[in-house]
Amino acid sequence: MGEVSNEKKKELFTLLLKTRRLEEKLIELMTTGEVAGWFHSNLGQEAVGVGVTAYLEPEDYINNTHRGRAIIIGKRVPLKRFMAEALGRKNGPCEGISGEMHYFDLKYGILGQSGTLGGQIPVAVGVALACQYRKSDQVVICIFGDGTVDEGNFHESLNIASLWKLPIVFVVENNGWAQFTPQKATASQVDIWRKAEGYNMLGKVVDGTDILEVYEVAREAIARARKGDGPTLIECKVRRWEGHYIGDPQKYRDPKDIEEARRVDPLSKFQKRLMDEKILTLESMNELDESVKREIEEAIQFAKSSPVASREQAFQNVYV
Amino acid sequence: MGEVSNEKKKELFTLLLKTRRLEEKLIELMTTGEVAGWFHSNLGQEAVGVGVTAYLEPEDYINNTHRGRAIIIGKRVPLKRFMAEALGRKNGPCEGISGEMHYFDLKYGILGQSGTLGGQIPVAVGVALACQYRKSDQVVICIFGDGTVDEGNFHESLNIASLWKLPIVFVVENNGWAQFTPQKATASQVDIWRKAEGYNMLGKVVDGTDILEVYEVAREAIARARKGDGPTLIECKVRRWEGHYIGDPQKYRDPKDIEEARRVDPLSKFQKRLMDEKILTLESMNELDESVKREIEEAIQFAKSSPVASREQAFQNVYV
Amino acid sequence: MKEITYVKAINEALREELARDDSVIVMGEDVGISGGSFNATKGLFEAFGSKRIIDTPISESAIAGIAVGAAISGLRPVAEIMFMDFTALAMDSIVNSAAKMRYMSAGQCKAPVVFRTLGGGGVSAGPGHSQSLESWFCHVPGLKVVYPSTPYDVKGLLKSSIRDDNPIIFIEHKFLRAKGEIPEEEYTLPLGQADVKREGSDVTVVTWGQLFFKVATSAEKLAREGINIEIIDLRTLIPLDMKTIESSVKKTGKLVIAHEAVKISGFGAEIAASVVEHLFDYLDAPIRRIGAAFTPIPWGTVVENAVLPQEADIISAVKDIVRSRQAKN
Amino acid sequence: MKEITYVKAINEALREELARDDSVIVMGEDVGISGGSFNATKGLFEAFGSKRIIDTPISESAIAGIAVGAAISGLRPVAEIMFMDFTALAMDSIVNSAAKMRYMSAGQCKAPVVFRTLGGGGVSAGPGHSQSLESWFCHVPGLKVVYPSTPYDVKGLLKSSIRDDNPIIFIEHKFLRAKGEIPEEEYTLPLGQADVKREGSDVTVVTWGQLFFKVATSAEKLAREGINIEIIDLRTLIPLDMKTIESSVKKTGKLVIAHEAVKISGFGAEIAASVVEHLFDYLDAPIRRIGAAFTPIPWGTVVENAVLPQEADIISAVKDIVRSRQAKN
Ligand SMILES: Cc1ncc(C[n+]2csc(CCOP(=O)(O)OP(=O)(O)O)c2C)c(N)n1
Ligand SMILES: Cc1ncc(C[n+]2csc(CCOP(=O)(O)OP(=O)(O)O)c2C)c(N)n1
Ligand SMILES: [Mg+2]
Ligand SMILES: [Mg+2]
């Protein structure tokens, strides 16, 4: 593993912490009904989204997913901006008509998602094609879950991305579940990275709860992609702490599995490490936590004081 | 390689010869306009279709393809029956409304095809599911070209077939072309059998112009499938003698490639072998050829003397 | 009679048909172990086992195609495509395989598969989980299209759909907790038969699916103003029950068609066009259609409500049509 | 003016737009090295190179989705889905991605992609290569739908479609060798504008795409019997040019809509329903629709002709409508 500077580690930690606190807050808002629709928590999986985006350039792209807050934080979207959208406010980047699940924010390179799993994969490949065509030096990360791998769009897109040596990195967040069904009930091959050879592509697998591991593999893959050496398929093994969505009673799941999953915490793991390495102290940790919480609170206040998306907006932007 | 009896070899040869002669005749009929639509020749590729079907049981299934005559012969469809359909006659199994390209003949286990490449793959898997469900001991062969491998349906279906250990064998007829575009321009991985591991499936590759090789690998795969050990992906490398369809001027293709392809003849290769092994003599060969040609001629006469599909038939069987 | 929810009615229909006929299988994402995304298949895995209640990967095209293959080989698969929006991924299997298998084989096989799918909006599910796309399927010869509104209808029609020998798009709506009465004993309802849910003499309102409920409450309000609408709940779109529409239109002379799908090129157009073709001389007012605005369906209550048809739209269309004729007469 | 074929007109439009704007790329199966399945892209690979004329694998869903991704990042892809039947495999990319990208992002991006595809039957191509599915796309807010009949229209409209900032379904028909005159110099035609291809006072016939040719020959025959139809060739279905239809219907009072697609739930229904809604009092006869029978399209000339609309159907519908009113008056 290459050397990651202490500064970078601290930055990664801040992003990870911010993701965690934001998620906790969103769950609260969800439960009180202030966020509409379904909410899919990324608790326990944050290290993947943060690790793969943390050192992307601002111009680089990544698609959103239904568990996408880690990538939004990693892409340095200001919390106020994100929160306004999540609460359906006019000053979100989608003017409040799309919310967090379909969060689309081109200014920060976030490509959104249509809502049909797998549909975002060829779209991301197309963005990479445009980057290559314009020799823009940009890179695209295409991220999705293990269940989404079984969609035809995965197959069609990986073949093309590899064939054309596009500047794209495929990241699979393998949490072993798709909704309420375990991976072993739906996947013939549970080691997803092994599919890479079928596309003559480099395949990698990492512990997705170790942010440095994720970061390191992503860094290499991004560099390869940027150099024109083509895509990599990175499988990140993670654990899902919550149900599929907040409110899911998880009757289908062995309580032991939940317990075990929750014991694997990417945040406290990284925290311990940084404290061991004396990069963080309990004091600086607490300070950081306070400031993150404050930032989130401010974002919520900002969002709540902003106007709700209006009827008229529903009729705009259907056609150019 | 296991032992193939002389009787079986002779039978294989007869089927191969019949396929060749039928194809030659169909091309003639196509050129004179007696067969409508597009016609995609299987010249040079016959050993695959014959080899994989030759020792299927009558109750076993295989889907049709646009180059599908070898499998129709291999499944022992009476020529009269086939020819009636190919010429659009009422006494074809589809009563003349589907023709050779969409030839569907359940009595002989031939599943037809919708015309959209890849669409036949999940359908074949579903037939295998029914066989497994009923413990019927039947096996399904699902056959398609190298270009079709790039369809999402391939991916979704292979995953499921492997996961459920269905009694099915996937056969890829890799002729290096999809219409007018060479495989290397569209496939990141030209060795298709290497995709098998991505589905935790057994992958095999054979010289598809050597009928005994094809037959042997298919035999094993069929036996595995029938035993409940799940599917195999068999890649058969072949050469396409003609253009994509009869009439294709092949301007996109190096004439040398055509020449080279035509030098690899599964029929004469097998014929030479059987003559070397004294299973065939020049005399018995000629006799066989004559009787095959006679059978084809009779089939054509039968078809031509049969009534053409009538207007009324077009309105039948939309609903049960 | 007993009162049950819409989703429970679906569950009962599946359970009864699974018990009745062992060629019936249920397949789809999360239909098995977990009992389904919305409990429609609750308890079936335990009762009928993994061979008959089959969890699939997230592979809509293959789910649909596999169901077709199983159907032509003697099974009766009920394949769930979780949301109607996702049928976009399965169109080839549905349109080019399921719908044409029997035809292309000249009757050698049939494809008795039921594609269950959840349509409609109104729950802040956003543009990819809220569409009503029934008109696509109504344009495909070989398919039947069913979209019941009430628990009574959904149970009876799902049972009949499973027994029917044709491929069927069976649309369920998101008002899954809607309650209604159904008989204790077993029953089925015939496909292709509309139901006059309310008799009236002033205006015929043809509707189906989720929007039926808004039409029903609109009717109450209109009645208070002396306007009596006749509500025809189509239940089955293909085959279309023109007879029931015909006799109502002959009586009222006025027709409103209300569906939740986008109005343009929706199935309401087909009904309007058919009525004009065959009942032109009975109409004494223009036919009015109500449907969603020509936009995707945004997330969030305010914007979503702005786009989807509401009670007020139904009421004003009915009043318009009544008034416009009064003015003329 | 010069006479060229329909397919040559497509080729010229692509070539001119590729030369004019280097953000235009062409992608699809066999569009590159070989010049296309039907020569539409002939010579483009040689002229513009492999970065702009891109051969793809047989992956319709990805082709369409990749085109969308490229479009939101500043390119103007022209993506070919070889046959319209195969759009069934690309519906998610077209409907859930292309059509909604701009809306869902509240205008942060646009998706200027043209999906070229070959529709229609009449060449013994069988049920999987002959369908006319335009009404599916007309039901999807965010898409424009174009289906030109003549070389002149196809060239001018394809050029405008490539320049348009919206996702467009651009349907070409199989009468690829149809000849027609076009100007020597460059020209474009506006989307959303129907063309009155023949003036007449007795009956308005609205049509589009391949069937236009049969309507045109029917008109000659009808004229010989003293019936003068006005032919409106829509060219663009969405947005629909209701103005042109309106002024014609106000003049003739009689409307026939003729398309090759299956009649039930076809786009003709939308036109009929709209006309009834807005022009009810101008109509003096029921609207007649002509479309394919409600069956898949069989292979083989006799059966295919039985199913697809023919000249005789058009002529008899027009006569019917004229006669029925004469009888009344
Ligand atoms: C095409 C499609 N099918 C089904 C769904 C419903 N759905 C939403 S999330 C989900 C599970 C996804 O699993 P995975 O890709 O592993 O991501 P995870 O939720 O585990 O992060 C499903 C089935 C969908 N949104 N789109
Ligand atoms: C979904 C779909 N896309 C495209 C086509 C048009 N098409 C017919 S045959 C063919 C090439 C198929 O290549 P391959 O699978 O290698 O089979 P081969 O013709 O070489 O035997 C194509 C692109 C089709 N029929 N269906
Ligand atoms: Mg998962
Ligand atoms: Mg090939």
Side-chain angles (χ1 to χ4, degrees):
Chain A
M1 195 180 290
E3 253 324 293
V4 182
S5 74
N6 288 353
E7 255 339 278
K8 285 196 171 174
K9 284 183 188 165
K10 220 171 143 177
E11 196 183 352
L12 279 174
F13 181 77
T14 310
L15 294 171
L16 200 59
L17 182 67
K18 207 186 257 189
T19 303
R20 172 66 54 87
R21 295 292 173 254
L22 173 64
E23 199 71 2
E24 290 165 348
K25 202 69 205 179
L26 284 169
I27 292 174
E28 230 181 275
L29 292 170
M30 185 70 211
T31 317
T32 61
E34 277 163 297
V35 170
W38 296 299
F39 186 79
H40 310 85
S41 144
N42 68 22
L43 291 178
Q45 309 186 191
E46 305 94 329
V48 177
V50 173
V52 300
T53 46
Y55 294 99
L56 282 181
E57 301 296 325
E59 306 76 46
D60 291 332
Y61 293 102
I62 185 165
N63 64 288
N64 189 20
T65 77
H66 54 288
R67 299 191 197 285
R69 277 71 59 193
I71 62 113
I72 290 166
I73 300 294
K75 271 301 246 160
R76 314 298 201 282
V77 174
L79 280 184
K80 287 182 181 171
R81 185 176 173 88
F82 168 74
M83 196 60 86
E85 188 59 44
L87 296 192
R89 308 298 160 138
K90 271 190 185 170
N91 35 13
C94 308
E95 301 178 3
I97 68 157
S98 278
E100 62 76 21
M101 188 157 112
H102 300 291
Y103 191 81
F104 189 115
D105 197 347
L106 221 43
K107 188 173 168 196
Y108 291 89
I110 293 171
L111 293 172
Q113 61 145 348
S114 75
T116 34
L117 296 170
Q120 71 276 37
I121 308 179
V123 173
V125 170
V127 174
L129 174 65
C131 297
Q132 184 190 62
Y133 184 80
R134 298 204 173 286
K135 304 193 176 76
S136 72
D137 227 41
Q138 287 160 294
V139 163
V140 181
I141 289 184
C142 180
I143 184 169
F144 43 87
D146 52 300
T148 305
V149 165
D150 300 331
E151 286 284 3
N153 272 319
F154 168 89
H155 173 72
E156 297 186 0
S157 302
L158 265 73
N159 177 43
I160 293 176
S162 174
L163 179 74
W164 296 346
K165 287 197 181 310
L166 294 180
I168 190 166
V169 177
F170 298 99
V171 176
V172 182
E173 220 171 333
N174 186 351
N175 61 9
W177 290 95
Q179 288 208 155
F180 322 129
T181 306
Q183 194 198 7
K184 61 176 191 300
T186 58
S188 55
Q189 175 57 274
V190 293
D191 292 319
I192 289 161
W193 65 275
R194 288 185 197 270
K195 292 184 190 279
E197 198 195 340
Y199 310 106
N200 206 4
M201 196 187 285
L202 197 63
K204 298 269 186 184
V205 59
V206 294
D207 174 357
T209 66
D210 183 329
I211 190 164
L212 288 182
E213 244 191 67
V214 173
Y215 168 61
E216 197 54 30
V217 173
R219 202 179 56 79
E220 281 166 28
I222 291 168
R224 283 190 75 229
R226 214 181 299 276
K227 255 200 318 199
D229 290 344
T232 308
L233 173 64
I234 304 175
E235 176 181 7
C236 304
K237 306 257 192 196
V238 293
R239 305 298 302 262
R240 193 182 84 187
W241 284 10
E242 297 292 322
H244 174 58
Y245 60 93
I246 292 302
D248 174 1
Q250 298 199 74
K251 283 191 195 145
Y252 52 84
R253 193 172 175 190
D254 187 340
K256 252 195 272 171
D257 184 57
I258 303 179
E259 225 175 86
E260 269 173 41
R262 283 170 188 263
R263 252 184 258 133
V264 188
D265 180 358
L267 181 66
S268 62
K269 198 150 95 178
F270 196 42
Q271 180 182 329
K272 185 170 172 322
R273 178 174 176 150
L274 296 201
M275 289 175 92
D276 287 351
E277 294 180 3
K278 312 265 188 257
I279 295 167
L280 273 183
T281 63
L282 202 60
E283 212 190 350
S284 66
M285 227 311 283
N286 285 339
E287 250 172 52
L288 196 62
D289 207 1
E290 281 316 307
S291 90
V292 162
K293 283 180 177 160
R294 221 175 309 122
E295 195 187 337
I296 292 171
E297 218 40 69
E298 281 166 21
I300 294 173
Q301 288 324 314
F302 170 80
K304 285 192 178 169
S305 69
S306 310
V308 170
S310 65
R311 285 180 63 84
E312 294 67 45
Q313 280 168 261
F315 303 98
Q316 286 157 15
N317 297 308
V318 182
Y319 291 94
V320 178
Chain B
M1 195 179 290
E3 253 324 293
V4 182
S5 73
N6 288 355
E7 252 343 276
K8 286 196 173 174
K9 284 184 190 166
K10 220 172 144 178
E11 196 182 353
L12 279 173
F13 181 77
T14 309
L15 294 169
L16 200 59
L17 182 67
K18 206 186 258 191
T19 304
R20 171 67 54 86
R21 296 291 173 253
L22 173 64
E23 199 72 1
E24 289 165 346
K25 201 71 203 177
L26 284 168
I27 292 172
E28 230 181 275
L29 291 169
M30 184 71 208
T31 318
T32 59
E34 278 163 294
V35 170
W38 296 298
F39 187 80
H40 309 85
S41 142
N42 70 20
L43 292 178
Q45 309 185 189
E46 305 94 331
V48 176
V50 172
V52 299
T53 46
Y55 293 100
L56 284 179
E57 301 296 325
E59 307 75 46
D60 293 331
Y61 293 103
I62 184 165
N63 65 286
N64 189 19
T65 76
H66 55 289
R67 297 190 200 286
R69 275 71 60 193
I71 63 115
I72 291 167
I73 298 294
K75 271 302 247 157
R76 313 299 200 281
V77 174
L79 281 184
K80 286 181 180 171
R81 185 175 171 89
F82 168 75
M83 195 61 84
E85 188 58 45
L87 296 192
R89 308 298 160 138
K90 270 189 188 172
N91 34 11
C94 308
E95 300 177 4
I97 69 157
S98 279
E100 61 76 21
M101 188 157 110
H102 301 290
Y103 191 81
F104 189 116
D105 196 347
L106 221 45
K107 188 172 169 198
Y108 291 88
I110 293 171
L111 293 171
Q113 61 145 350
S114 76
T116 36
L117 296 170
Q120 70 276 39
I121 307 179
V123 172
V125 170
V127 173
L129 174 67
C131 296
Q132 185 190 61
Y133 184 81
R134 299 205 174 284
K135 302 192 178 75
S136 71
D137 226 43
Q138 288 160 293
V139 162
V140 180
I141 289 185
C142 179
I143 184 169
F144 42 86
D146 52 300
T148 305
V149 165
D150 300 330
E151 286 284 3
N153 272 320
F154 168 89
H155 173 71
E156 297 186 0
S157 303
L158 265 73
N159 177 43
I160 293 176
S162 174
L163 179 73
W164 295 346
K165 287 200 183 305
L166 294 179
I168 189 167
V169 177
F170 298 100
V171 176
V172 182
E173 220 173 328
N174 186 352
N175 61 8
W177 291 95
Q179 288 208 155
F180 321 128
T181 307
Q183 195 198 6
K184 62 176 192 299
T186 58
S188 55
Q189 176 57 276
V190 293
D191 291 319
I192 289 161
W193 65 274
R194 288 185 195 271
K195 292 182 190 282
E197 197 195 341
Y199 311 106
N200 208 4
M201 196 186 284
L202 196 63
K204 298 269 186 184
V205 59
V206 294
D207 174 356
T209 65
D210 183 328
I211 192 164
L212 288 183
E213 246 191 67
V214 173
Y215 167 61
E216 197 54 29
V217 173
R219 202 179 55 82
E220 283 167 26
I222 290 167
R224 285 188 74 229
R226 213 180 302 274
K227 256 201 316 200
D229 291 343
T232 307
L233 173 63
I234 304 175
E235 176 181 6
C236 304
K237 307 258 192 195
V238 292
R239 307 297 301 264
R240 193 183 83 189
W241 285 8
E242 296 292 322
H244 173 58
Y245 60 92
I246 291 302
D248 175 1
Q250 299 200 72
K251 285 195 192 138
Y252 51 84
R253 193 172 175 192
D254 188 338
K256 252 194 275 174
D257 184 57
I258 304 179
E259 226 174 87
E260 270 173 40
R262 284 172 187 260
R263 251 183 260 132
V264 189
D265 181 357
L267 181 67
S268 61
K269 200 150 94 182
F270 195 42
Q271 180 183 328
K272 185 171 174 320
R273 181 178 174 143
L274 295 203
M275 289 175 90
D276 287 351
E277 293 180 3
K278 313 261 186 261
I279 296 168
L280 273 184
T281 62
L282 203 62
E283 210 189 351
S284 65
M285 225 313 283
N286 285 339
E287 250 172 52
L288 196 61
D289 206 2
E290 281 316 305
S291 89
V292 161
K293 283 181 177 161
R294 221 175 309 120
E295 195 186 340
I296 292 171
E297 217 42 65
E298 280 166 21
I300 294 174
Q301 288 323 315
F302 171 79
K304 285 192 179 170
S305 68
S306 310
V308 169
S310 65
R311 285 180 62 85
E312 295 66 47
Q313 282 168 262
F315 304 97
Q316 285 158 15
N317 296 308
V318 181
Y319 291 93
V320 179
Chain C
M1 300 292 270
K2 61 182 183 185
E3 204 188 47
I4 64 170
T5 60
Y6 191 74
V7 68
K8 179 80 171 107
I10 295 165
N11 185 268
E12 283 192 3
L14 292 171
R15 187 182 290 272
E16 289 174 15
E17 293 307 301
L18 282 156
R20 193 185 58 81
D21 178 355
D22 78 359
S23 65
V24 177
I25 61 170
V26 169
M27 54 186 289
E29 296 159 16
D30 305 286
V31 300
I33 305 175
S34 72
S37 298
F38 301 97
N39 291 323
T41 55
K42 194 170 162 181
L44 302 183
F45 186 85
E46 291 79 353
F48 300 99
S50 64
K51 286 282 159 210
R52 300 190 60 199
I53 314 297
I54 308 175
D55 276 318
T56 67
I58 310 175
S59 308
E60 284 77 7
S61 183
I63 293 168
I66 289 170
V68 176
I72 64 170
S73 342
L75 301 189
R76 293 187 169 273
V78 182
E80 180 177 310
I81 303 294
M82 197 184 292
F83 287 89
M84 187 157 209
D85 315 75
F86 311 159
T87 59
L89 288 161
M91 288 305 275
D92 181 59
S93 294
I94 298 172
V95 171
N96 292 323
S97 291
K100 301 191 178 117
M101 275 277 172
R102 182 175 178 77
Y103 186 82
M104 290 174 72
S105 71
Q108 291 176 66
C109 69
K110 54 190 186 189
V113 44
V114 177
F115 299 104
R116 290 181 47 237
T117 191
L118 196 61
V123 299
S124 289
H129 293 73
S130 305
Q131 293 165 94
S132 298
L133 301 169
E134 60 268 25
S135 84
W136 287 359
F137 301 100
C138 296
H139 192 50
V140 179
L143 299 178
K144 292 187 178 180
V145 182
V146 184
Y147 191 176
S149 60
T150 65
Y152 176 75
D153 291 345
V154 82
K155 181 173 179 184
L157 288 166
L158 182 51
K159 284 169 67 77
S160 297
S161 295
I162 293 170
R163 296 181 194 188
D164 194 278
D165 278 338
N166 298 286
I168 293 177
I169 307 294
F170 193 90
I171 309 165
E172 297 157 10
H173 59 62
K174 294 202 176 65
F175 200 10
L176 290 162
R177 274 170 283 187
K179 285 195 176 156
E181 300 223 307
I182 67 162
E184 300 282 351
E185 59 280 6
E186 206 203 335
Y187 68 100
T188 59
L189 293 171
L191 299 184
Q193 210 165 76
D195 184 38
V196 178
K197 286 254 165 32
R198 184 185 198 281
E199 292 196 14
S201 50
D202 296 330
V203 178
T204 301
V205 180
V206 171
T207 188
W208 58 88
Q210 190 159 289
L211 200 61
F212 161 74
F213 296 102
K214 286 187 183 152
V215 172
T217 52
S218 304
E220 299 306 312
K221 293 187 182 159
L222 285 163
R224 268 175 252 140
E225 304 187 38
I227 300 171
N228 274 300
I229 66 172
E230 177 145 309
I231 304 179
I232 298 179
D233 182 352
L234 278 187
R235 305 193 295 193
T236 304
L237 307 187
I238 302 287
L240 176 63
D241 180 2
M242 268 302 285
K243 264 207 197 122
T244 300
I245 298 174
E246 201 171 313
S247 58
S248 182
V249 169
K250 282 183 178 166
K251 175 170 74 176
T252 64
K254 294 179 204 69
L255 177 60
V256 171
I257 304 155
H259 56 61
E260 191 183 303
V262 159
K263 177 178 161 184
I264 294 183
S265 215
F267 192 62
E270 175 60 36
I271 297 169
S274 286
V275 167
V276 170
E277 222 157 326
H278 301 114
L279 301 172
F280 188 70
D281 294 325
Y282 293 95
L283 285 172
D284 57 45
I287 298 170
R288 288 289 297 268
R289 287 178 295 153
I290 289 161
F294 203 58
T295 77
I297 300 168
W299 166 87
T301 318
V302 175
V303 277
E304 187 177 18
N305 284 345
V307 159
L308 294 181
Q310 305 296 334
E311 234 185 44
D313 302 311
I314 299 161
I315 292 174
S316 89
V318 169
K319 284 187 180 171
D320 260 19
I321 220 178
V322 172
R323 247 189 255 119
S324 76
R325 287 305 116 174
Q326 284 168 343
K328 282 235 159 172
N329 296 350
Chain D
M1 301 292 270
K2 61 181 180 185
E3 206 187 48
I4 64 171
T5 60
Y6 191 74
V7 67
K8 178 79 171 109
I10 295 165
N11 185 267
E12 283 192 4
L14 292 171
R15 186 182 289 270
E16 289 174 16
E17 293 308 298
L18 282 157
R20 193 186 58 80
D21 178 355
D22 77 0
S23 65
V24 177
I25 60 169
V26 168
M27 54 188 288
E29 295 157 17
D30 306 286
V31 300
I33 304 175
S34 72
S37 296
F38 302 98
N39 292 322
T41 55
K42 192 170 161 182
L44 302 182
F45 186 85
E46 290 79 354
F48 300 99
S50 65
K51 286 283 158 211
R52 301 190 60 199
I53 313 298
I54 308 174
D55 275 317
T56 67
I58 310 176
S59 306
E60 285 76 9
S61 184
I63 292 169
I66 289 171
V68 176
I72 64 169
S73 338
L75 301 190
R76 293 187 168 274
V78 181
E80 179 175 313
I81 303 294
M82 197 183 293
F83 286 89
M84 188 158 208
D85 316 73
F86 311 160
T87 61
L89 288 161
M91 288 305 275
D92 181 59
S93 294
I94 297 172
V95 171
N96 291 323
S97 291
K100 299 190 179 116
M101 275 276 172
R102 181 176 179 76
Y103 185 82
M104 291 175 72
S105 70
Q108 291 176 69
C109 70
K110 53 189 187 188
V113 44
V114 177
F115 299 105
R116 290 180 47 236
T117 191
L118 196 61
V123 300
S124 289
H129 293 74
S130 306
Q131 291 166 96
S132 298
L133 301 168
E134 59 268 24
S135 85
W136 286 0
F137 301 100
C138 295
H139 193 50
V140 179
L143 298 179
K144 292 187 177 179
V145 182
V146 184
Y147 192 176
S149 60
T150 65
Y152 176 74
D153 290 346
V154 83
K155 180 172 179 185
L157 288 166
L158 181 50
K159 284 169 68 76
S160 297
S161 295
I162 293 171
R163 296 181 194 187
D164 195 278
D165 278 339
N166 297 286
I168 293 176
I169 308 293
F170 193 90
I171 310 164
E172 300 157 9
H173 58 62
K174 292 201 178 68
F175 199 10
L176 289 162
R177 273 171 284 187
K179 283 196 177 158
E181 299 224 308
I182 67 162
E184 300 283 351
E185 60 279 7
E186 205 199 335
Y187 69 99
T188 61
L189 293 171
L191 299 183
Q193 213 166 75
D195 185 37
V196 179
K197 285 253 163 39
R198 183 186 198 281
E199 292 196 16
S201 51
D202 295 330
V203 179
T204 301
V205 180
V206 171
T207 188
W208 58 86
Q210 191 160 290
L211 200 60
F212 161 73
F213 296 103
K214 284 188 184 152
V215 173
T217 51
S218 304
E220 299 307 312
K221 292 187 182 160
L222 285 162
R224 268 176 250 140
E225 303 188 37
I227 301 171
N228 272 300
I229 65 173
E230 176 144 310
I231 304 179
I232 298 179
D233 182 352
L234 278 187
R235 306 193 295 195
T236 304
L237 307 187
I238 301 287
L240 176 62
D241 180 2
M242 268 301 283
K243 264 208 196 119
T244 300
I245 297 175
E246 201 172 313
S247 57
S248 181
V249 169
K250 281 184 179 166
K251 177 171 73 177
T252 63
K254 293 179 205 72
L255 177 61
V256 170
I257 303 155
H259 56 60
E260 191 182 304
V262 158
K263 177 178 162 185
I264 293 184
S265 216
F267 192 63
E270 175 59 35
I271 297 169
S274 285
V275 167
V276 170
E277 222 157 326
H278 302 114
L279 302 172
F280 187 70
D281 294 326
Y282 293 96
L283 285 173
D284 55 45
I287 298 170
R288 288 289 299 268
R289 288 179 295 152
I290 289 159
F294 203 57
T295 77
I297 300 168
W299 165 87
T301 318
V302 173
V303 278
E304 186 176 20
N305 285 344
V307 158
L308 295 181
Q310 305 295 334
E311 235 185 43
D313 303 310
I314 300 160
I315 291 173
S316 90
V318 169
K319 283 188 180 168
D320 259 17
I321 220 179
V322 172
R323 246 188 255 120
S324 75
R325 284 307 116 174
Q326 284 168 343
K328 282 232 160 177
N329 294 351

